[in-house]
Amino acid sequence: MRASAFVYPWDVIGDPAAAGRIAELGVQQVTLAAAYHSTRALTPRHPRHRVVTAAYAAALYPPDGKRWQGRELRPYPAGGWAGADDAWAAAAAELRAAGLDVHTWVVLAHNSRLGAEHPDTSVVNAYGDRYPWAPCIARPAVREYLLDLAAEAAVRPGAGGTELESLGWYGLAHLHAHDKIGGVPLGDAAQYLMSLCFCPSCRDGYAGLGADPEELAAAVRGAMEPVWADGSDAAGLPGIERLLGAERAALTLAWRTETAASLQEQAVAAVRAAAAPGFQVLMHADPAVHRCGANAGVRADRILGHVDGLVLPCPGGPAGAAGREAVLAPVAAHAGPGTVVAANFAVVSGMGGSPGTLAADAAHAAGLGATQLRLYHAGLASDADLAAVRAALLAG
């Protein structure tokens, strides 16, 4: 199967051996970050640094001044951590010289600096707490910003395609600095309740579906009271219905699913309008429509009519078999000829990845309908992990 490794520009810039080392893994493609959230990233082989701290979500290329002139919401240019003024272009040139196809990696509805500087853009939970890392995709100004960012960041010169991440709802779950929200175990369903937005736009959306927003917020708070006392392991739609009630669960899901789906379709259309024919558009997604975060929930039967395929989070190892089936099988069932169904495996053992089982995991994924592999995140991996990945790819 065709394989691609996720890479940051700073993995490559300043390291003459980086591009060749990635090519030697046996991948055919690199998915190179063009717009990315704040992060602290290890660079275990770089000759000039070992840790890169990207202080805020930024464009890793120079944003178009004409496009963004006079607009309140606009992408932030990257700081010196990116490695060059046009970090994406500099890294892409080295990767292409090593014989690799280069696609863009674009993170959209995940931006803590945006939320800090423009609080009215953020998701607001049923208690009135704002999530600055989570722009509310129902807000008209946020949607306008995301659509233009998608088109600009995705279609960089020399890119053969793009992968759009966080194209949907973001919620409570977030790897925040010095995070301390794990004191009460919140299952999948409680996470959903704590991710429901009650900003003015979402309140209007609930009202348009026949709900009283104040009563709905109170119902969410009431449903969470026993969770705060005892925790919860409720999961999936049955778990959400058990906590919130079937009617309210259906209403919130209807609002959020349609809001996300329309944004996803509009963003893909914006990218296609900016790109040359043949430009590949993939989306990081989860077929469970209530899911929030980097792999946003989608209706696979609907979104596959717009994108060229989906990149799906796949746990590794024997214990991850059920998780692979849960994300791959529903998408493969709706995938037509030529549709990309990419299985995304973590290959960093220090972050819970299973590089040693990659060959077996990939074979299992292929049996479930996967057509491509993604390696997350090769730039952070140890030499031993990279050797295991190389062996798996060359053997397959």
Side-chain angles (χ1 to χ4, degrees), residues 126 198 203 206 210-222 244 248:
F198 288 88
R203 286 175 176 267
Y206 300 138
D212 182 315
E214 287 296 334
E215 290 181 359
L216 182 59
V220 171
R221 295 192 297 269
L244 191 57
R248 292 190 180 102

Side-chain angles (χ1 to χ4, degrees), residues 313-329 345 357 360-361 364-365 368:
C314 288
R324 295 192 290 273
E325 183 172 359
V327 295
L328 290 169
F345 289 101
T357 65
D361 296 339
H364 181 235
L368 294 168

Side-chain angles (χ1 to χ4, degrees), residues 10 13 22 54 100 122 133 142 148 238 254 281 328 357 363 368 375 388:
W10 54 76
I13 297 170
I22 294 166
L100 294 160
S122 299
W133 59 86
V142 169
D148 277 345
V281 182
L328 290 169
T357 65
L368 294 168
L375 308 179

Side-chain angles (χ1 to χ4, degrees), residues 300-345:
D301 60 336
R302 178 169 170 174
I303 193 61
L304 286 177
H306 299 269
V307 295
D308 297 305
L310 300 177
V311 180
L312 303 160
C314 288
R324 295 192 290 273
E325 183 172 359
V327 295
L328 290 169
V331 172
H334 296 287
T339 300
V340 175
V341 180
N344 188 10
F345 289 101

Side-chain angles (χ1 to χ4, degrees), residues 73-74 198 358:
L73 303 186
R74 55 191 300 165
F198 288 88
L358 181 61

Side-chain angles (χ1 to χ4, degrees), residues 202-211 213 251:
C202 287
R203 286 175 176 267
D204 288 345
Y206 300 138
L209 293 176
L251 185 141

